[in-house]
Amino acid sequence: QKAAQNLKPVVPIKFYISSRTDTGVHALCNSAHLDIQRAPGKPAFNEKQLIYSLNYHLRPEPIRILNAYRVADSFHARFSALSRTYVYRLLIGCTHHSEIPVFERDLCWAPVGGHLNVPAMRDAAQFLLGTHDFSTFRSLNSETPFRSPVRTILQADIRPSSGFLSHHYEHRGLEFWELKFRSRSFLYRQVRRMVGALVAVGQGKLAPYHIKELLEKKDSRAFPPNAMAPPSGLFLKSVEY
């Protein structure tokens, strides 16, 4: 908003963001909309001008505008979204947090133990697909009484991935994996709880069918204590319209 105000609009600008995330969560790509009204006689900004101007004023910040589109007045960055895709990055093979590559610090989660049963995690992830009451998989906040706990998970994949410059330290035997989730919307900390439960399955602390049982309990207090994944490995990948 501060960067946009530097463009000298006639009316103060407010950004409407598509998704909010916890502190420590990253975004590869997020979306927002704004209305910008210029002084009489000045032409409207075109897309390229807007991208260049906003990025000029955002230089000190860890954020960049990638694209801009002119949209209808009825468009809303949050409520017009068809789906949102999140990626969670796991690092397997570390027996101690000091073994996490320095360039990956705060960009992945290396669960304790250094090994995960990925086939069991994939079996467990199938229980999350479809429409369910995800009460067990949400943290409570001020919005909880006003939001339905029913969500539809369209995608829940677990695939091998790569780390930054990982080809330079292949001899260390580290493995990167990505958990990808897609839904129209998610509950508060739902993705981090789902990841934490799947990692518990990978560690042998839970069996795949326990995911189904947790869903059926429909109670946030039934979630295993201290099992929620940390925010550092989570990325909002894209918002689809």
Side-chain angles (χ1 to χ4, degrees), residues 170-218:
E170 289 171 333
H171 62 283
R172 294 181 57 187
L174 302 179
E175 293 180 19
F176 287 88
W177 291 80
E178 285 186 1
L179 287 72
K180 182 187 287 187
F181 300 94
R182 184 165 60 90
S183 174
R184 187 169 187 273
S185 63
F186 293 89
L187 298 167
Y188 181 50
R189 292 180 175 170
Q190 180 184 348
V191 177
R192 289 173 59 192
R193 282 190 166 219
M194 292 191 298
V195 170
L198 293 177
V199 165
V201 170
Q203 294 171 324
K205 296 176 181 177
L206 297 176
Y209 70 85
H210 283 134
I211 301 299
K212 184 172 184 288
E213 290 183 352
L214 287 171
L215 280 168
E216 291 169 348
K217 287 181 179 177
K218 303 176 184 176

Side-chain angles (χ1 to χ4, degrees), residues 109 193 196 200 203 205 223-230:
W109 177 28
R193 282 190 166 219
Q203 294 171 324
K205 296 176 181 177
F223 189 77
N226 304 315
M228 183 168 65

Side-chain angles (χ1 to χ4, degrees), residues 61-130:
E61 304 296 335
I63 181 172
R64 291 295 175 269
I65 307 302
L66 303 178
N67 287 297
Y69 306 94
R70 194 176 303 280
V71 291
D73 287 341
S74 58
F75 178 87
H76 194 286
R78 180 179 176 189
F79 301 116
S80 299
L82 299 176
S83 65
R84 295 163 173 84
T85 301
Y86 281 89
V87 168
Y88 198 99
R89 300 181 69 238
L90 291 176
L91 173 57
I92 303 176
C94 293
T95 55
H96 189 267
H97 66 82
S98 63
E99 297 175 9
I100 299 173
V102 68
F103 294 112
E104 292 287 353
R105 193 178 67 177
D106 298 329
L107 297 173
C108 62
W109 177 28
V112 176
H115 172 74
L116 293 175
N117 182 343
V118 175
M121 293 170 65
R122 284 175 167 154
D123 290 343
Q126 296 306 301
F127 290 114
L128 298 170
L129 286 170

Side-chain angles (χ1 to χ4, degrees), residues 48-59:
K48 282 189 176 180
Q49 286 175 324
L50 201 56
I51 293 169
Y52 178 84
S53 301
L54 287 174
N55 281 333
Y56 176 83
H57 294 291
L58 284 167
R59 283 179 301 175

Side-chain angles (χ1 to χ4, degrees), residues 123-188:
D123 290 343
Q126 296 306 301
F127 290 114
L128 298 170
L129 286 170
T131 303
H132 306 283
D133 182 321
F134 280 96
S135 292
T136 306
F137 288 89
R138 72 170 166 186
S139 294
L140 304 181
N141 68 357
S142 59
E143 292 184 3
T144 301
F146 310 104
R147 299 192 71 186
S148 167
V150 176
R151 292 292 183 272
T152 301
I153 301 296
L154 304 168
Q155 183 178 10
D157 293 340
I158 304 174
R159 297 177 181 173
S161 183
S162 60
F164 181 66
L165 297 174
S166 58
H167 56 286
H168 288 293
Y169 51 83
E170 289 171 333
H171 62 283
R172 294 181 57 187
L174 302 179
E175 293 180 19
F176 287 88
W177 291 80
E178 285 186 1
L179 287 72
K180 182 187 287 187
F181 300 94
R182 184 165 60 90
S183 174
R184 187 169 187 273
S185 63
F186 293 89
L187 298 167
Y188 181 50

